[in-house]
Amino acid sequence: MVWAITACTFSTNTQEEKNIAHVLSMFDAFNRHDWKAMSEHYTDSALFLDPALGVEYVHQSRIETADKYTAMEAMFPDIKDEVITIFGKGDKVAVEFISTGTSGDSIKFKLKISCVLALDKNLIVRDATYYNNCE
């Protein structure tokens, strides 16, 4: 009886922790430039809000997501993301990160980005990304 109460009270594997681990795994795939693995962290028709895609949410398939990042890698072969802050609440994970890279003509960029991700059944269903690329 004591074990059952202790097991329920001190659970170290909450859904929020699983969601955070899933998002960190997605960032790991990004930094390895494994776009297929990265895209598999999303549902096949996830909603994206991203300044690069316009001002409204758009649906993107896993293939479209992988293609987008393949093209980005072609422009910035050393692109990397460094997670600064991450936290989860319910089915949402908020991430603050810095994206850096160098173009083929040696132009460097450093972009501060925040995103709020919604997950369902351990897959990202909505990705709202915010940044100002005019800095």
Side-chain angles (χ1 to χ4, degrees), residues 43-122:
T43 59
D44 191 46
S45 183
L47 276 173
F48 288 83
L49 179 64
D50 182 337
L53 301 172
V55 296
E56 301 293 333
Y57 278 98
V58 297
H59 284 273
Q60 279 204 301
S61 69
R62 289 180 177 144
I63 292 171
E64 289 170 315
T65 300
D67 288 348
K68 173 187 170 186
Y69 289 103
T70 297
M72 189 179 296
E73 180 187 8
M75 292 187 316
F76 304 102
D78 63 344
I79 192 166
K80 295 284 182 211
D81 287 344
E82 177 188 358
V83 173
I84 305 301
T85 306
I86 186 167
F87 63 91
K89 183 70 176 166
D91 67 343
K92 308 284 188 306
V93 175
V95 187
E96 174 189 19
F97 60 101
I98 297 174
S99 188
T100 58
T102 310
S103 68
D105 52 1
S106 299
I107 296 173
K108 294 181 183 267
F109 80 89
K110 180 177 182 180
L111 187 60
K112 298 171 194 151
I113 304 172
S114 294
C115 66
V116 179
L117 306 166
L119 290 91
D120 184 37
K121 298 178 185 150
N122 210 35

